[in-house]
Every structure is written in structure tokens, then in C-alpha cells.
Amino acid sequence: MAPRYKHVIVVGASAGIGAELVLQLAAAGSKVAALARREEPLKRLAAAHPGQVLPIVHDVTDFDSVPAVFESVAQQLGGCDLVIYSSGVMPTVGPAEFDFAKDRQMFEVNVLGGIAWLDAVAERFQSTGSGTIVMIGSVAGDRGRRGQPGYNASKAAVAAFAEALRNRLSGKGVTVTTVKPGPVQTELVAALGFKNAMPVADAAARIIRLAPSGREVYLKFSHRVIFAVIRLMPSWIFRHIPI
Ligand SMILES: NC(=O)c1ccc[n+]([C@@H]2O[C@H](COP(=O)([O-])OP(=O)(O)OC[C@H]3O[C@@H](n4cnc5c(N)ncnc54)[C@H](OP(=O)(O)O)[C@@H]3O)[C@@H](O)[C@H]2O)c1
């Protein structure tokens, strides 16, 4: 059977969710460009699916290069019908720490790199009248939690940006999906020791299944319910919840 998406770009593909997305999409028959800074893990992905995975070294904070990188990668793939932005960083932040360097890094990778990519992709998909964009957000963007102000704000920003693109591109043949995972077993959150983090293969499979939805989606039904309640919670109550 032909894959749903023939030519896919995964940005942030050297580890975690992005790497697993590459493996599952390639296994399903897609041709996938895998982008990130670290070349070795990208080469391993390519070796796992010879001829199907294109490893591309790219730093998303090299914002000005993004439109040209996107066009070049799409050309090398022979087209592009799905782009997933999965690059993200979440440095450890102490409970009494206020560190602009860390917050800036999170905004540069999680937000500005994402906006650079989504702008370039949206322009092309709008002109062709087709294509799917998936932005990996987080449940962490639903409220300003005390533990990770910069990370929370970065994920709130990408959710708002992706929602605006979804509204802008509705009726133009372009699908924009925002995925809000809870904890997933990757390096990003390994130090936090979540007991019930989702296996990364499970998360990637759910993301691929939800990509065509064109909505803001959670990976678990329970998260949809819990975070609906959390979003409605008054600030003076939320302040006392230790998350
Ligand atoms: N794991 C979770 O529990 C969880 C929960 C909710 C949301 N998320 C989100 O899911 C996405 C993927 O996270 P993950 O858990 O898979 O993290 P991960 O295992 O740490 O992988 C992060 C990816 O981002 C890439 N990246 C970081 N800085 C980059 C840069 N400057 N340029 C290009 N790529 C860069 C990394 O590649 P290089 O270092 O090689 O560049 C790596 O491929 C992130 O947006 C994260 O916020 C994760």
C-alpha cells in the first residue's frame, strides 16, 4: 500500500520523538529527510532504511538559512507533503533560578526555529494548495507552571502560532496540527524521572495517526480531560499546585 505521506521532513530527528518518527514513517514507505545538528545519529537512521532516509545536518537557530534549506531538502526528496517540527530543548532550571541564557535558548530552538520553518513551509504549501504541518508543542504550554517558566512560555507561543496558521490556511488545502504530548521517555525529560512517561514508539505512532486531524491534539484522552480542567482553573488555585 502507498504511504499516506510520500515525502516527509522531520526537523529535530537525531533523537527522541523525531528519530522515532523518522523510523516509523520510513518503515511505512515514506521517503524522509531527517534534520538536526548531530550527524552520527542521523546517519544511523539512514543506515536503518537505506535509500529512504536523507540525513541533513541543520541548526534551526540558523534562522536565515531555513527557506533555502527547506527548498533544497524538498527538491532532494522529490517533493514534500508533510513537515514535522520536533526540535526542542528544555534545560534544567532550579526552583529559584532565573537564567535568561536558558530561556533564550528555549525560545530560539522551540519557538523561533519553529516559526522560521513553519513560515517557509506555509508559504510553499499555500501556493501548492496542499500539505500537512505538524508542530510538536507540549501540555506544558497550557499554563504558566512554576517549574519551567521559559519552557512553558515557549510551548504556549508555538501553540498560538500554529493555531494562527491553522486558521489562516483553513480552506486553502493545508492541514496544520498541533500535538501536545505529556511526558515521553526521551533524553529531554530523563532527568525528571517521570514514572508514567509514554514509550517513545507509542508517542510517535500516535503523532503519525493524528497528523491529518488539523486540530490541537493530546496523545492521551485523559490528558485532554485533565488539561481542559487545568486550563479553566483560576490562577489563585493553580498557583498552589506543585507542577
Ligand atoms: N519528551 C517529552 O516528555 C516531551 C513532552 C512534551 C513535548 N515534547 C517535545 O517534543 C519535541 C521532541 O522532544 P524529545 O523528547 O524527542 O527531545 P530529545 O530527545 O532531546 O530530542 C530533541 C531533538 O531536538 C533537536 N534539536 C535541539 N536543538 C536543535 C537545534 N539547534 N537545531 C536543530 N535541532 C535541534 C535535537 O537534535 P540535535 O541536538 O542533534 O540538534 C534532537 O533531535 C520537543 O519539541 C519537546 O519539547 C517532549
Side-chain angles (χ1 to χ4, degrees):
M1 201 169 69
R4 175 170 199 134
Y5 300 106
K6 289 200 178 88
H7 305 108
V8 183
I9 297 176
V10 178
V11 185
S14 60
I17 295 171
E20 186 62 31
L21 286 167
V22 171
L23 292 174
Q24 292 190 18
L25 286 159
S30 301
K31 197 160 180 197
V32 190
L35 280 66
R37 292 168 304 174
R38 284 170 288 167
E39 190 172 17
E40 280 313 309
L42 298 179
K43 282 184 172 166
R44 284 198 290 276
L45 294 174
H49 293 277
Q52 259 184 282
V53 176
L54 187 63
I56 309 275
V57 173
H58 169 66
D59 185 335
V60 298
T61 64
D62 188 2
F63 310 119
D64 293 341
S65 75
V66 169
V69 170
F70 170 51
E71 285 307 326
S72 152
V73 172
Q75 204 169 21
Q76 290 176 67
L77 283 176
C80 180
D81 47 12
L82 170 64
V83 175
I84 304 176
Y85 189 85
S86 190
S87 287
V89 289
M90 189 180 71
T92 307
V93 175
E97 183 184 6
F98 300 92
D99 185 333
F100 177 68
K102 290 180 180 175
D103 289 341
R104 182 164 75 181
Q105 188 203 4
M106 286 188 271
F107 265 71
E108 286 180 346
V109 176
N110 305 359
V111 183
L112 294 178
I115 290 178
W117 268 92
L118 265 54
D119 274 342
V121 176
E123 188 166 41
R124 177 188 169 112
F125 283 180
Q126 176 177 247
S127 70
T128 58
S130 67
T132 298
I133 298 170
V134 174
M135 168 54 88
I136 309 294
S138 171
V139 296
D142 279 2
R143 289 301 293 252
R145 306 183 194 193
R146 61 175 64 194
Q148 272 283 3
Y151 185 72
N152 291 181
S154 75
K155 291 298 177 180
V158 295
F161 188 81
E163 181 183 24
L165 285 198
R166 180 158 49 248
N167 296 339
R168 210 173 229 243
L169 296 168
S170 76
K172 295 188 176 177
V174 184
T175 301
V176 182
T177 299
T178 312
V179 178
K180 293 183 164 183
V184 178
Q185 289 168 13
T186 71
E187 280 302 309
L188 190 90
V189 296
L192 302 177
F194 286 115
K195 288 200 175 63
N196 57 351
M198 185 179 280
V200 69
D202 190 3
R206 288 173 194 237
I207 291 168
I208 293 167
R209 204 164 56 240
L210 290 164
S213 68
R215 293 185 289 116
E216 190 168 276
V217 293
Y218 295 86
L219 296 186
K220 283 175 152 182
F221 178 73
S222 59
H223 284 170
R224 184 147 40 114
V225 176
I226 290 165
F227 285 93
V229 173
I230 284 180
R231 282 200 311 276
L232 289 171
M233 203 175 271
S235 198
W236 59 270
I237 296 178
F238 186 68
R239 191 172 306 151
H240 299 289
I241 297 183
I243 58 174

